[in-house]
Structures are given as C-alpha cells and as structure tokens.
Amino acid sequence: MSSQILKIHQQLVNKTISCTALVKEKLALLSQNTNNTVNSLLSDKALKLAAKVDEKIVNGETIGLLEGIPFGIKDVYMVQGTTTTASSNLLKNYKSAYTATAIQKLLDAGAIPLVKENCDSFGHGSSSENTIFGAVKNAINPELVGGGSSGGSAVNVAKDYTVFSIGGDTGGSIRQPAGYNNIYGLKPTYGRISRYGIMAYASSTDCVGPIAKSVEDIRIVLNAMSGKDVKDQTTYASAEIDADAIKTSEGIKTVGYFKNFIESDAISPEIKADFLSAIEKIKAKGIEVKTLDFFESNTLVSTYYTLAMAETASNLSRLDGTNYGNRIEAENLKETYAVTRSENFSEETKRRIVGGNQVLSQGFSDAIYLKGLALRDAIANNFEDDFKKVDIILSPVTPNRPPKIGDSLKDPHAMYLSDAYTVGFSLGQLPTLTVPQGTETGLQITAAKQNDELVLKFANFLKDTI
C-alpha cells in the first residue's frame, strides 16, 4: 500500500478534505468499533487541534507532513491530562502529569492523537487479552486474538481507524500483533527513540515504535520520533532516513536465516513452507542466502523472561497505592500494600512479579539472573558474528497462526513460547521490522544495530519480490 500520510497530506493541502471532518470520521469509527481497541477517546483534544490545522490551511499557511494526521497511542504512554491506565485496574483512574518524549515530538510535528489503545496490562502478554477492557479482537478474524501486547494499536491501523499508531515492543509486542493483522510494525534499534514517559516493563529491551500500513509511513513516523533525549540516557543521535535512500536494495548482497527456527518441531508446516518459498524468490533476485546457527528457542525464551520478569518486578515495585494507583485500605500499612497489589494486578502481572522476585532473590540470583545476563551477552556476540557474514537476517514472526481468544489465557507457557522468534532480536537490541508478506503472520527483517535504514530498504525490496 502507498503512503497514507502522503495521501492525506495532499488532500488537506488541496482542500479536498478538512482536518476536522477527517478526525470526526475516525473518532466515529473508533467509538463504534467492536474489536475492543479503545481504552479512551481523546475527542476534545483531537477536534481542537484539527480546527487549528484547518485554520492554517484557510489562511494559506504551509502545513508539515504530519500536521493533521490522526494517530493512536498504546495506553502505556503518558499524555498530559489524559487517563493512562496500562489496561490495569490499579491505574484505571490515573491522569498523566506530563507527556512522553516520543509522543510530544509527534504533537510538535502537528499529528493529532485520537485514542489511548487497549493492550495487555503493563505489556504483560502476547495476545492483548490480559486487560480490564476486554480482549482485543483480530482485525481479520474477530474470533482470533489481536496479538500483544500492542494489539489495540495494530488492529486500529489494520481497520483504518488510525493512520498510524505508536506501540511498545519489549520482546515482540509491536512485531507480533503487526504480523497477526497483516501490517507493518517496527522495533527500532534500542535507544533510537526515547523511552521517557512510557510505563516501563523491561527497561533494557523496551522500545517505542510505529505501526502503519506502508514502509514509507513507518519511515516518516520513525524520523519524527528519533533522536537523543536528555531525559533518557540510553538514547543516541541518529541521522534522518531519506525517502530515496530506501527505494533501492543496493548494498544488500546477502540474507541469512536461522536453520533451527525453520527445522523446529514448533513451526507449523504452512508457515515453514511459505517461508522457504519466500527464500527461493529472494534467491531468484540474485541475493545470496546463507543458513545461520542460533540459540535454541527454549534458551531464548528462558533468557528473555528471566531478565524481563526481574526488571518488571523492580519497575512495578513503586505501584503500591501510596503515590498513585487504586489504593485499597487494610488494617495496617503492610496489609494495605499487599491488598492493593494483590487485588489490582492481573494474574499475569502477579505471575511475572513473583517470577522476577524469585530470580533476584538470595540463593537464586547467581544461578539464574546472572546466567541470564551472560546468555544475553552471548546472544549479542552471536549477532555480531552473523552480521559479518550477512547484511540482513530474515525470519518468521511467529511459528504459528494467531490463537483463538481464550486459548492463551489457559496456557501461559504456550503464550511465552509464541515469542520464540521475536525475543532474540530484543535481547540483541537490533532494529527489526514485521512486513505483511511471505507467511500468514508476515516476515521479520533484522539488521545490525543502528542499521534501521537497511531494514526499511529490504522491506521495499520484499514488497516487490514476494
């Protein structure tokens, strides 16, 4: 699909549509939708901003490329004055006191926020069922999950309720729902976009990223949000990605894929066959394809969840109803803390906090947590060696098609294993993009750190190849 942002921008400039009419149309679709994608609508704010854009156009003033473009925000981002719930009971009435850096950059560019979007509570899940607002329903088949944790964001884009949405990816939470809904979703290089103002899940792998229907829209939004931020010391200055630079696949000579991903008993025969068919089409274009060795899926999943649970236990320790949150009074302060957290956190969140505290506890941290850190370093070193041999790594996004709503909640272990093909790239802090081609749940394109441009280049190549 061609760029929706460029199309709408031209329509606004030519006065074939008004920004107010566009925003009203999208808000109506969001309010009527039956996919459970909406936590709260930002109607008043959106309409006020739209009126300002229309006024500028009437006055003959130039508008920026993102000015007047409606977008959605996963409900883990602070937007001053709005309710930010993280789809949790604990924060169901919490109002943001400030705005996340990435969102502020979009607001500064004139983009118009429409909605805070449904997601797994605190990002804990791979299906967007772990939420007080009801399970997000897949855009293609509402009997299936929308994917997680950025399920509401992906479904809103797929259904054209938003032009683009901002998700959050810790272990695949943008890429997997994008794959489940046949759209694009990017996890940028860790540190390219500021994490300031996002509710932290696992700080060492949390990434802010765009979800959209075209590579060009991903590029535009990525450029707008990127850059160093004094409020997030993990950020770095990055060059803007030029539109012409990603139109050619020049410079991409070799593609690799992990043999054990494709030979695994866990992958469905259909996804395996489709992936290998895509590989043959790439070879036919003259690109060399190499098989690579990687860690087993169980090792990747265990390493990721060991570290992610430890970090979330630490990050969520502040949520006890004292400074913010839905406080439940008990007989004494200790009981108040216990009851507040026990009653307000979901079962999945409690499972991850307990697991995190376990791996950090005395007697376990050396045997489990430190081993996890060592494995993360080994995974990063493996990637460094791989990118000396290949320019791009291609992989399925998931080993299987989306499950039916309810199935993931019955089997948390199966839900964790569904992340087997995404978590490794998170641990490596690499730029990875889901594209809606190749298999039923798309393909995943990965490049070396800070090579986000190369990922977008190859995405354009695949669009014309598969």
Side-chain angles (χ1 to χ4, degrees):
M1 180 179 279
S2 58
S3 169
Q4 291 289 94
I5 292 173
L6 291 173
K7 178 185 173 185
I8 292 169
H9 173 73
Q10 205 55 55
Q11 289 174 329
L12 290 170
V13 169
N14 293 341
K15 300 179 185 177
T16 55
I17 59 168
S18 75
C19 189
T20 298
L22 174 65
V23 166
K24 282 182 176 178
E25 177 192 334
K26 297 293 186 188
L27 287 171
L29 290 170
L30 285 162
S31 64
Q32 294 161 15
N33 99 84
T34 56
N35 291 75
N36 288 341
T37 61
V38 176
N39 285 4
S40 59
L41 290 176
L42 310 179
S43 305
D44 291 344
K45 185 180 185 70
L47 289 168
K48 283 177 185 176
L49 291 172
K52 289 180 180 178
V53 173
D54 285 334
E55 187 179 351
K56 282 184 75 171
I57 293 168
V58 167
N59 292 336
E61 297 177 49
T62 301
I63 62 167
L65 192 53
L66 280 171
E67 207 157 351
I69 305 297
F71 74 104
I73 305 167
K74 182 179 181 179
D75 199 11
V76 292
Y77 289 95
M78 303 296 174
V79 180
Q80 189 174 27
T82 70
T83 304
T84 303
T85 71
S87 294
S88 71
N89 204 49
L90 188 70
L91 297 175
K92 62 183 179 182
N93 298 315
Y94 177 69
K95 286 279 184 78
S96 304
Y98 61 97
T99 299
T101 297
I103 305 302
Q104 188 59 57
K105 286 188 172 188
L106 293 171
L107 297 178
D108 292 344
I112 297 181
L114 298 181
V115 57
K116 303 295 282 294
E117 296 166 321
N118 199 0
C119 57
D120 283 303
S121 181
F122 295 106
H124 298 159
S126 304
S127 63
S128 290
E129 294 173 279
N130 176 36
T131 161
I132 62 169
F133 296 100
V136 174
K137 298 177 183 178
N138 191 283
I140 301 156
N141 180 352
E143 292 184 1
L144 306 180
V145 301
S149 60
S150 307
S153 303
V155 172
N156 279 340
V157 169
K159 300 283 283 186
D160 289 317
Y161 300 155
T162 60
V163 177
F164 66 90
S165 285
I166 305 305
D169 192 306
T170 306
S173 293
I174 285 174
R175 290 163 285 153
Q176 185 246 47
Y180 279 1
N181 293 281
N182 293 142
I183 51 177
Y184 292 89
L186 175 69
K187 183 196 84 65
T189 300
Y190 180 82
R192 186 183 180 98
I193 301 174
S194 173
R195 291 177 294 112
Y196 179 76
I198 184 175
M199 289 186 188
Y201 166 14
S203 305
S204 66
T205 56
D206 284 345
C207 286
V208 178
I211 299 171
K213 278 193 162 181
S214 72
V215 179
E216 179 61 8
D217 287 349
I218 293 284
R219 182 194 71 85
I220 292 167
V221 179
L222 176 66
N223 280 341
M225 293 191 295
S226 297
K228 192 162 180 61
D229 180 15
V230 294
K231 296 170 182 172
D232 178 359
Q233 294 305 307
T234 64
T235 54
Y236 64 90
S238 56
E240 192 165 284
I241 298 173
D242 185 77
D244 291 334
I246 64 168
K247 287 179 181 174
T248 170
S249 61
E250 207 173 287
I252 300 174
K253 307 295 183 187
T254 53
V255 169
Y257 71 90
F258 295 130
K259 186 170 55 178
N260 59 304
F261 278 14
I262 305 309
E263 294 178 354
S264 167
D265 292 336
I267 192 170
S268 77
E270 295 81 11
I271 288 181
K272 178 179 179 176
D274 288 345
F275 179 82
L276 291 174
S277 174
I279 290 293
E280 291 305 314
K281 290 174 183 175
I282 291 166
K283 283 182 183 177
K285 290 289 186 178
I287 289 178
E288 184 183 2
V289 176
K290 297 181 179 181
T291 57
L292 303 168
D293 294 319
F294 200 42
F295 293 81
E296 290 300 318
S297 295
N298 285 344
T299 302
L300 294 171
V301 172
S302 299
T303 302
Y304 168 75
Y305 277 103
T306 293
L307 301 179
M309 286 183 178
E311 291 182 34
T312 204
S314 175
N315 282 325
L316 294 186
S317 62
R318 73 195 80 174
L319 296 180
D320 55 20
T322 301
N323 294 313
Y324 33 69
N326 182 29
R327 184 183 178 98
I328 300 174
E329 295 291 347
E331 290 181 11
N332 55 55
L333 187 60
K334 187 176 179 180
E335 280 295 309
T336 295
Y337 288 160
V339 173
T340 294
R341 288 166 68 81
S342 178
E343 294 296 319
N344 285 311
F345 281 139
S346 69
E347 291 304 310
E348 183 59 38
T349 294
K350 285 187 279 189
R351 189 178 294 119
R352 297 190 187 203
I353 290 172
V354 169
N357 285 330
Q358 173 88 354
V359 303
L360 290 173
S361 63
Q362 189 174 2
F364 289 93
S365 61
D366 287 356
I368 303 176
Y369 181 66
L370 294 183
K371 187 177 180 182
L373 291 176
L375 276 167
R376 182 175 68 184
D377 290 342
I379 289 165
N381 291 335
N382 197 111
F383 281 126
E384 282 188 24
D385 292 339
D386 286 340
F387 285 116
K388 291 173 185 173
K389 304 170 193 169
V390 300
D391 301 311
I392 288 290
I393 293 174
L394 196 66
S395 59
V397 180
T398 64
N400 292 287
R401 69 193 301 271
K404 286 187 175 181
I405 289 173
D407 288 356
S408 295
L409 297 179
K410 295 174 194 170
D411 190 352
H413 185 248
M415 180 181 70
Y416 299 156
L417 289 175
S418 73
D419 297 335
Y421 293 177
T422 55
V423 294
F425 304 118
S426 295
L427 292 167
Q429 301 186 335
L430 305 174
T432 307
L433 174 71
T434 287
V435 299
Q437 291 104 27
T439 79
E440 186 179 350
T441 57
L443 294 171
Q444 207 172 190
I445 303 167
T446 306
K449 280 185 183 179
Q450 301 186 27
N451 271 333
D452 303 62
E453 181 179 298
L454 202 61
V455 167
L456 299 185
K457 264 190 177 193
F458 196 70
N460 271 331
F461 165 79
L462 279 187
K463 186 179 62 175
D464 300 325
T465 301
I466 299 177

Coordinates of all heavy atoms in Angstrom, one line a residue, residues 18 88 103 125 133 144 146 167 218 232 238 247 275 298 320 322 336 361 365 411 456 460 464:
S18 N -11.3 18.3 4.9 CA -10.9 19.2 6.0 C -10.4 18.3 7.1 O -10.8 17.1 7.3 CB -12.1 20.0 6.6 OG -13.0 19.2 7.3
S88 N -4.9 -1.6 33.2 CA -4.8 -2.3 34.5 C -5.9 -1.7 35.5 O -6.2 -0.5 35.4 CB -3.4 -2.1 35.2 OG -3.2 -0.8 35.6
I103 N 5.8 10.9 22.0 CA 4.5 11.5 21.7 C 4.6 13.0 21.5 O 4.0 13.5 20.6 CB 3.5 11.1 22.8 CG1 3.5 9.5 23.0 CG2 2.1 11.6 22.4 CD1 3.1 8.7 21.8
G125 N 1.9 -9.8 28.1 CA 1.1 -10.7 27.3 C 1.5 -10.7 25.9 O 2.1 -9.8 25.4
F133 N -10.2 -4.1 29.8 CA -11.2 -3.5 28.8 C -11.7 -4.6 27.9 O -12.4 -4.3 26.9 CB -10.5 -2.4 28.0 CG -10.2 -1.2 28.9 CD1 -8.9 -1.0 29.3 CD2 -11.1 -0.3 29.2 CE1 -8.6 0.1 30.1 CE2 -10.8 0.8 30.0 CZ -9.5 1.0 30.5
L144 N -10.2 -14.6 16.6 CA -8.8 -14.8 17.0 C -8.3 -13.6 17.8 O -8.9 -12.5 17.7 CB -7.9 -14.9 15.7 CG -8.3 -16.0 14.7 CD1 -7.4 -16.1 13.5 CD2 -8.4 -17.4 15.4
G146 N -5.9 -10.4 18.9 CA -5.3 -9.3 18.1 C -3.8 -9.3 18.2 O -3.1 -8.5 17.5
G167 N 3.1 1.9 19.2 CA 3.1 0.7 20.1 C 4.4 0.7 21.0 O 5.2 1.7 20.9
I218 N 6.0 4.2 8.0 CA 7.0 3.8 9.1 C 8.2 4.7 9.1 O 8.6 5.2 10.2 CB 7.4 2.3 8.9 CG1 6.2 1.4 9.1 CG2 8.6 2.0 9.9 CD1 5.8 1.1 10.5
D232 N 16.5 10.6 28.8 CA 16.8 9.1 28.6 C 18.2 8.9 28.2 O 18.6 9.2 27.0 CB 15.8 8.5 27.6 CG 16.0 7.0 27.4 OD1 17.0 6.5 28.0 OD2 15.3 6.4 26.5
S238 N 20.7 10.2 15.8 CA 20.6 9.4 14.6 C 20.3 10.2 13.4 O 19.5 11.2 13.5 CB 19.6 8.2 14.8 OG 18.3 8.8 15.1
K247 N 14.5 3.3 -1.4 CA 13.8 2.9 -2.6 C 14.6 1.8 -3.4 O 14.0 1.2 -4.3 CB 13.5 4.1 -3.5 CG 12.4 5.0 -3.0 CD 12.1 6.1 -3.9 CE 11.0 7.0 -3.3 NZ 10.8 8.3 -4.1
F275 N 7.7 -19.7 4.2 CA 9.0 -19.0 4.5 C 10.0 -19.5 3.5 O 10.8 -18.7 2.9 CB 9.5 -19.3 5.9 CG 10.8 -18.7 6.2 CD1 10.9 -17.3 6.6 CD2 12.0 -19.4 6.1 CE1 12.1 -16.7 6.8 CE2 13.2 -18.8 6.4 CZ 13.3 -17.4 6.7
N298 N 14.0 -22.5 23.3 CA 13.8 -22.6 24.7 C 14.8 -21.7 25.5 O 14.5 -21.1 26.5 CB 13.9 -24.0 25.2 CG 12.6 -24.8 24.8 OD1 11.6 -24.3 24.5 ND2 12.7 -26.1 24.9
D320 N 2.1 0.8 44.6 CA 1.6 0.2 45.8 C 0.4 1.0 46.4 O -0.1 0.8 47.5 CB 2.7 0.1 46.9 CG 3.4 1.5 47.2 OD1 2.8 2.5 46.9 OD2 4.5 1.4 47.8
T322 N 0.4 4.2 47.2 CA 0.7 5.3 48.1 C 0.8 6.6 47.3 O 0.1 7.6 47.7 CB 2.1 5.0 48.7 OG1 2.0 3.8 49.5 CG2 2.5 6.1 49.7
T336 N -2.1 -3.0 53.6 CA -2.6 -2.1 52.6 C -1.8 -2.3 51.3 O -2.4 -2.4 50.2 CB -2.6 -0.6 53.0 OG1 -3.5 -0.5 54.1 CG2 -3.0 0.3 51.9
S361 N 16.2 -13.1 44.0 CA 16.4 -13.4 45.5 C 17.7 -14.1 45.8 O 18.3 -14.7 45.0 CB 15.2 -14.2 46.0 OG 15.2 -15.5 45.3
S365 N 19.8 -15.6 42.5 CA 20.3 -14.6 41.5 C 21.6 -15.0 40.8 O 21.7 -14.8 39.6 CB 20.6 -13.2 42.2 OG 21.5 -13.4 43.2
D411 N -3.2 -21.3 28.8 CA -1.8 -21.9 28.8 C -0.8 -20.8 28.7 O -0.3 -20.6 27.6 CB -1.7 -22.9 27.6 CG -0.5 -23.7 27.6 OD1 0.4 -23.5 28.5 OD2 -0.4 -24.6 26.8
L456 N 14.4 -0.9 6.4 CA 13.4 -0.4 5.5 C 13.6 -0.6 4.0 O 12.7 -0.8 3.2 CB 13.2 1.1 5.8 CG 12.9 1.5 7.3 CD1 12.7 3.0 7.4 CD2 11.6 0.8 7.7
N460 N 11.1 -2.7 1.3 CA 10.7 -2.2 0.0 C 11.0 -3.2 -1.1 O 10.2 -3.5 -2.0 CB 11.3 -0.9 -0.4 CG 10.4 0.3 0.1 OD1 9.2 0.2 0.3 ND2 11.0 1.4 0.5
D464 N 8.2 -5.8 -3.5 CA 8.1 -6.0 -4.9 C 8.6 -7.4 -5.4 O 8.5 -7.7 -6.6 CB 9.0 -5.0 -5.6 CG 8.6 -3.5 -5.3 OD1 7.4 -3.3 -5.2 OD2 9.4 -2.7 -5.2

